Amino acid sequence: MNIQAPIKHTAAEEVLFQFCDAANAAVACSEESQKLREAAVAQLRDNGFPTRRVESWHYTDLRAAVKQLSTPTGSRVPTPLLAGSKVLSADTHIAGVKIEPWSADKAQFASLESDDAIGQINTALATCGSIATVEAGQTIDTPLSIENRGAHARNVVSIGAGASATIIESVSGDDGFSSDVTLISLAEGAKATYVATCEKGADAIQLGQLRVALGKDANLDIVIFNAGGRLIRREIIVLVEGEGSKLDIKGVNLIGGDSHIDVTTVLQHTVPNTVSEQLFRNISTGKGQGVFQGQIKVHQIAQKTDAQMACNTLLLSDDASFSAKPELEIFADDVICAHGATVAELDEDHLFYLCARGITERTARALLVEAFVDEAVEQIENEALVEALETRIGAWLEANG
């Protein structure tokens, strides 16, 4: 019989357990929720932070990377991505949207897999968040804003049958350790755009997870924008469980300085006649390290699935790096599925072409890089959103060019 010896916790892990004790004391909850939180802490104590030995964390060794933990020193209010957005808080009134005060019992804690480190950390530490329901048949023109200004937020958003809405989730702050988990469900015929922006300071560690359930004929567009932070990991886990549903994911990762940014997606197609498309564009410069892991699972029953995935990266310095791991796991035989990943430098022929027409090399490089990133953004249907993202991309490129 093999008996596994308890692991020796690092200094950062010991601080994490202190955070867990403080969060447990700060939030009252039912016996069921309390058991789930205690189970999450027990998993963390048993396993510690994930290392390269955990397959899903192979390119982001959290245990080695995190030497110390601290709470964020401030809650910088992010500049709204779209004008006129309304924050989902208990004191906000939006016609057609039911907003409830946050509580641990409404946060939909659940049993977790052993490698779901972000879920475990957030379940143990969450003390705030947004709970909202877009009522069936309602079209909400006002962008709904989730501002994760607390250290550890857990959000639950439900889109009712035939309803539509735009949700913008933003995380900001200069330093410290934070996490967020957002659960979104779309009922039959619902349509939504979900945007997640992460613009953290150079000393910040941010762990985020989006979990989505798509109902019959539901349509969800996801836009991911990461720029900044010392270590960022964003997971997107989607259950495509409604026939006729469609999912579109666009992502831009801007990685500079000493940043490490990891985006990991897991899509499960469990019913026939569904569509998913993923397109990520990444820029890595300085000593930036980037990671993309994309997994598409097509169940045997999920015939007529159309699933496409592409991840393209530009390296702008010798010290920059990017690791890509696209995966297809297909058990159905009547599907259209493809994936691809490229990592390259700027095309010297294109650069020469522009310089030969009187454009300075710096300007030519900026034009090529911006065009490369904008190709993903320009496919977004919402013109105001495209313009807002292009402005932020331009500002980052100007600062890191």
Side-chain angles (χ1 to χ4, degrees):
M1 182 175 66
N2 291 327
I3 300 177
Q4 185 174 350
I7 67 169
K8 180 176 175 59
H9 294 129
T10 66
E13 288 166 346
E14 293 292 355
V15 173
L16 173 67
F17 301 139
Q18 294 174 20
F19 289 170
C20 292
D21 292 340
N24 186 51
V27 177
C29 58
S30 66
E31 183 178 351
E32 181 181 359
S33 296
Q34 183 64 29
K35 286 181 178 178
L36 290 167
R37 298 191 81 160
E38 290 174 355
V41 176
Q43 286 176 303
L44 290 169
R45 287 190 178 276
D46 288 344
N47 302 319
F49 284 133
T51 69
R52 291 174 59 87
R53 294 181 180 180
V54 180
E55 180 64 25
S56 58
W57 288 82
H58 181 74
Y59 300 101
T60 302
D61 190 329
L62 198 62
R63 198 164 200 249
V66 179
K67 302 299 184 185
Q68 58 183 14
L69 289 183
S70 62
T71 56
T73 56
S75 56
R76 171 165 50 93
V77 179
T79 303
L81 186 64
L82 293 179
S85 301
K86 285 196 173 182
V87 177
L88 289 177
S89 63
D91 56 357
T92 301
H93 175 73
I94 305 170
V97 181
K98 179 183 177 182
I99 304 174
E100 302 177 68
W102 190 89
S103 73
D105 293 331
K106 296 176 183 176
Q108 296 188 13
F109 297 132
S111 298
L112 300 167
E113 299 293 335
S114 61
D115 64 345
D116 186 3
I118 295 179
Q120 294 162 13
I121 289 168
N122 186 265
T123 297
L125 295 177
T127 57
C128 63
S130 299
I131 310 287
T133 300
V134 178
E135 297 171 349
Q138 297 292 320
T139 297
I140 310 301
D141 295 322
T142 302
L144 307 178
S145 176
I146 298 174
E147 295 181 355
N148 293 331
R149 286 187 252 167
H152 303 279
R154 191 175 185 93
N155 310 298
V156 181
V157 179
S158 303
I159 311 295
S164 65
T166 296
I167 303 148
I168 301 172
E169 181 175 357
S170 57
V171 293
S172 60
D174 295 325
D175 55 16
F177 171 60
S178 57
S179 73
D180 65 85
V181 169
T182 297
L183 312 175
I184 296 181
S185 61
L186 276 72
E188 182 174 350
K191 183 176 181 180
T193 297
Y194 167 85
V195 184
T197 66
C198 180
E199 298 172 276
K200 286 278 194 173
D203 295 323
I205 299 171
Q206 170 69 26
L207 304 177
Q209 185 182 90
L210 170 67
R211 286 188 171 269
V212 176
L214 288 181
K216 185 177 185 295
D217 295 324
N219 191 324
L220 176 63
D221 294 332
I222 296 175
V223 180
I224 303 296
F225 178 72
N226 291 312
R230 179 161 67 86
L231 189 152
I232 306 296
R233 172 148 165 148
R234 171 67 58 180
E235 297 178 349
I236 304 168
I237 302 168
V238 183
L239 183 60
V240 186
E241 59 182 356
E243 190 166 355
S245 58
K246 182 178 179 182
L247 172 70
D248 186 277
I249 304 176
K250 298 288 189 295
V252 173
N253 297 300
L254 305 178
I255 312 160
D258 293 314
S259 287
H260 178 104
I261 295 180
D262 176 339
V263 174
T264 294
T265 69
V266 179
L267 275 56
Q268 291 206 53
H269 291 261
T270 65
V271 294
N273 300 303
T274 58
V275 176
S276 69
E277 181 176 347
Q278 300 179 68
L279 174 61
F280 284 86
R281 289 293 169 92
N282 316 291
I283 300 294
S284 189
T285 188
K287 295 182 180 179
Q289 298 177 336
V291 177
F292 172 77
Q293 299 179 108
Q295 186 178 69
I296 299 173
K297 300 181 179 181
V298 181
H299 292 221
Q300 186 173 5
I301 196 176
Q303 305 294 339
K304 304 293 184 182
T305 291
D306 184 348
Q308 310 292 321
M309 174 170 52
C311 175
N312 309 112
T313 303
L314 273 182
L315 300 180
L316 301 185
S317 71
D318 293 338
D319 293 326
S321 65
F322 198 94
S323 300
K325 184 187 177 187
E327 294 180 76
L328 292 177
E329 188 175 299
I330 302 172
F331 295 99
D333 54 14
D334 186 7
V335 301
I336 302 173
C337 295
H339 65 68
T342 62
V343 179
E345 299 176 351
L346 279 177
D347 190 307
E348 292 296 330
D349 290 340
H350 293 168
L351 197 60
F352 175 79
Y353 177 87
L354 293 175
C355 291
R357 279 148 183 79
I359 299 175
T360 66
E361 182 176 347
R362 178 181 175 83
T363 301
R365 288 174 63 87
L367 288 171
L368 291 172
V369 171
E370 192 162 355
F372 171 80
V373 176
D374 286 350
E375 191 171 338
V377 175
E378 287 170 355
Q379 295 184 29
I380 299 169
E381 292 184 3
N382 186 320
E383 292 184 7
L385 178 57
V386 171
E387 188 174 320
L389 288 172
E390 287 181 340
T391 298
R392 298 201 177 191
I393 289 168
W396 187 92
L397 293 175
E398 180 67 25
N400 293 271

